[in-house]
Amino acid sequence: MNIHQLSWKNFRNLYAGKIEPCGGVNVIFGKNAQGKTNLLEAMWLFTGERSFRGAKDLELVPEENSSALLEMHFESENREQTAKITISGGRRSVELNGVSKGSCSALTGKFCAVVFSPEHLSLIRGGPALRRNFIDLALCQMKPGYAALLSGYNHTLIQRNALLKDIPRHAELLDTLGIWDDRLCRYGERVIRQRTAYLKALSAPAAGFYSGISSNKESLSFSYRKSAEDLRRALAENRQEDLLSGHTGAGPHRDDIDVFINGRSARSYASQGQKRSAVLALKLAEAELLSRMNGERPVVFLDDVMSELDAGRQDYLLNHLAGFQVFVTCCEPGAARLMKSGALFRVEDGTIASSPVP
Ligand SMILES: Nc1ncnc2c1ncn2[C@@H]1O[C@H](COP(=O)(O)OP(=O)(O)OP(=O)(O)O)[C@@H](O)[C@H]1O
Ligand SMILES: [Mg+2]
């Protein structure tokens, strides 16, 4: 996967312009609020997913009644492809290789990328829901049936919880609870199996990237923490509690991932730089698994990753991610001095220009 050219009109503060990145590392630098993240976001939209900042389409244009146009030339499936995205009236429309497509999801799998932005640090710092979401999103991209499986589980969970709340008023409904327990177990056990297998596959590449980032001085590991070893038994054992609370206490919706650096919980013990390195390693490992599956390496977007990383860690990101096309944003061009080969771009007030590598 390789972006050859991106051009834009009226995308946030990027009024009109284009960029021709290199196939390796591209450093995008500029002061705060000049348009660096906007540029990454513009490229990211070609994955067909929502903005990684969670922005609504209406927020992507300078004024409510204006329309944004993005056009990308990229190499995928060993051929040059062109995609266009138009954002107008809060809606996105897509054209792929000259053919207009109904929805953005037509781009899914055509252009693949992973993104790190500072908000992703909550993957270590935040609650379990974010970590579950990380694996669930990755699995949805990799396993075609997983999205349906997960939604089957969630749907069943909602119905079981509704029933738990009804039973105190309608005692006769208690007999039907077993049916929902069965259904929840069938979906739940498969969700747990898929998540466990994904984490197992992720573990070696993530450890490899982490060890590279830390110059082989530290180690990263993680494990899937189940809220119950045996879901069927847990549902039976927790039944009284569930009936009192009106919620299902055990199941994959309560599971978590424990991340360890040098064997200690990253959430409680890791430094800022270590947390950042751990999230990066997870994201890069996700990219690695995607590329094993597709036979193509996804593009890597690293927003604001350099701050809090020492020179050794910066060097790793700039010079050792062989085979990936990488975009790194930072405030100072200085980081690019560590870069052995690559391209440098300066962003100023929504204008992006190629800049000589120092
Ligand atoms: N819809 C929009 N229309 C016009 N300008 C916008 C829109 N959305 C955001 N902006 C502006 O774009 C500018 C650049 O934002 P961006 O997030 O890309 O900055 P940045 O270069 O990444 O800065 P930082 O280093 O602080 O992260 C900001 O001034 C922001 O107000
Ligand atoms: Mg930014």
Side-chain angles (χ1 to χ4, degrees):
M1 208 67 59
N2 216 309
I3 300 175
H4 291 160
Q5 190 192 83
L6 176 87
S7 58
W8 57 84
K9 260 191 197 127
N10 287 330
F11 182 79
R12 292 196 187 258
N13 80 331
L14 309 176
Y15 291 108
K18 73 172 180 194
I19 176 177
E20 287 178 353
C22 73
V25 178
N26 297 275
V27 175
I28 320 281
F29 77 96
K31 297 195 173 123
N32 293 136
Q34 301 303 304
K36 303 181 295 295
T37 306
N38 293 349
L39 178 69
L40 297 194
E41 189 182 32
M43 293 187 275
W44 170 259
L45 291 183
F46 286 90
T47 58
E49 290 178 41
R50 294 180 51 204
S51 153
F52 59 80
R53 295 162 143 180
K56 298 191 188 75
D57 285 354
L58 259 185
E59 295 161 12
L60 303 176
V61 290
E63 280 144 27
E64 231 169 75
N65 54 2
S66 56
S67 39
L69 181 67
L70 301 170
E71 181 171 335
M72 191 162 93
H73 298 270
F74 61 105
E75 195 185 310
S76 164
E77 298 161 335
N78 294 318
R79 63 194 175 103
E80 178 85 17
Q81 311 212 34
T82 304
K84 284 184 198 169
I85 298 179
T86 311
I87 305 162
S88 183
R91 282 199 65 247
R92 262 192 264 174
S93 54
V94 179
E95 203 185 291
L96 184 64
N97 301 319
V99 181
S100 124
K101 301 280 173 186
S103 84
C104 268
S105 61
L107 291 169
T108 308
K110 292 286 165 196
F111 175 73
C112 294
V114 297
V115 60
F116 168 92
S117 84
E119 289 100 83
H120 291 122
L121 287 168
S122 52
L123 203 55
I124 304 287
R125 291 181 184 150
L130 295 158
R131 285 180 288 281
R132 287 193 298 268
N133 198 244
F134 167 73
I135 338 180
D136 287 340
L137 283 176
L139 273 168
C140 285
Q141 274 202 65
M142 283 188 54
K143 301 257 166 181
Y146 187 77
L149 173 64
L150 191 65
S151 105
Y153 178 81
N154 288 331
H155 190 69
T156 310
L157 182 66
I158 290 169
Q159 290 187 299
R160 185 180 189 267
N161 287 345
L163 184 63
L164 289 170
K165 290 190 186 84
D166 277 351
I167 287 172
R169 281 176 284 126
H170 305 277
E172 72 281 6
L173 290 174
L174 187 60
D175 291 344
T176 59
L177 191 55
I179 300 171
W180 293 103
D181 287 5
D182 272 351
R183 202 170 285 180
L184 199 69
C185 278
R186 260 185 282 131
Y187 282 122
E189 281 161 2
R190 283 167 64 205
V191 168
I192 294 170
R193 261 203 309 278
Q194 298 255 21
R195 284 183 183 167
T196 310
Y198 182 72
L199 277 184
K200 197 166 164 229
L202 199 70
S203 135
F209 282 117
Y210 192 87
S211 148
I213 295 172
S214 66
S215 306
N216 302 317
K217 291 196 180 87
E218 300 168 10
S219 67
L220 175 78
S221 59
F222 40 81
S223 60
Y224 187 65
R225 173 147 44 99
K226 287 184 253 181
S227 61
E229 263 322 308
D230 180 341
L231 187 53
R232 200 167 288 275
R233 216 172 72 200
L235 286 178
E237 283 174 4
N238 292 353
R239 191 174 256 212
Q240 284 316 314
E241 236 168 87
D242 285 0
L243 281 166
L244 281 173
S245 68
H247 288 287
T248 304
H253 61 291
R254 287 285 172 88
D255 293 355
D256 197 357
I257 304 158
D258 292 316
V259 182
F260 303 98
I261 292 171
N262 294 340
R264 301 180 103 181
S265 157
R267 193 176 180 196
S268 318
Y269 293 101
S271 74
Q272 307 290 0
Q274 284 177 320
K275 285 190 182 112
R276 205 166 268 254
S277 308
V279 176
L280 269 166
L282 284 170
K283 291 273 171 185
L284 292 168
E286 181 193 353
E288 180 67 32
L289 291 190
L290 263 177
S291 70
R292 277 185 211 162
M293 193 182 72
N294 298 337
E296 256 181 293
R297 291 181 187 272
V299 175
V300 176
F301 297 119
L302 304 177
D303 194 20
D304 261 336
V305 75
M306 292 305 194
S307 51
E308 288 171 359
L309 292 186
D310 60 37
R313 290 176 199 242
Q314 293 189 5
D315 167 66
Y316 181 80
L317 294 177
L318 292 170
N319 301 312
H320 296 89
L321 296 180
F324 287 100
Q325 185 181 38
V326 184
F327 291 83
V328 188
T329 68
C330 51
C331 291
E332 299 297 331
R337 270 188 219 111
L338 294 171
M339 183 167 72
K340 299 206 173 89
S341 77
L344 188 62
F345 298 90
R346 180 199 192 93
V347 184
E348 204 173 346
D349 196 16
T351 302
I352 302 177
S354 175
S355 173
V357 180

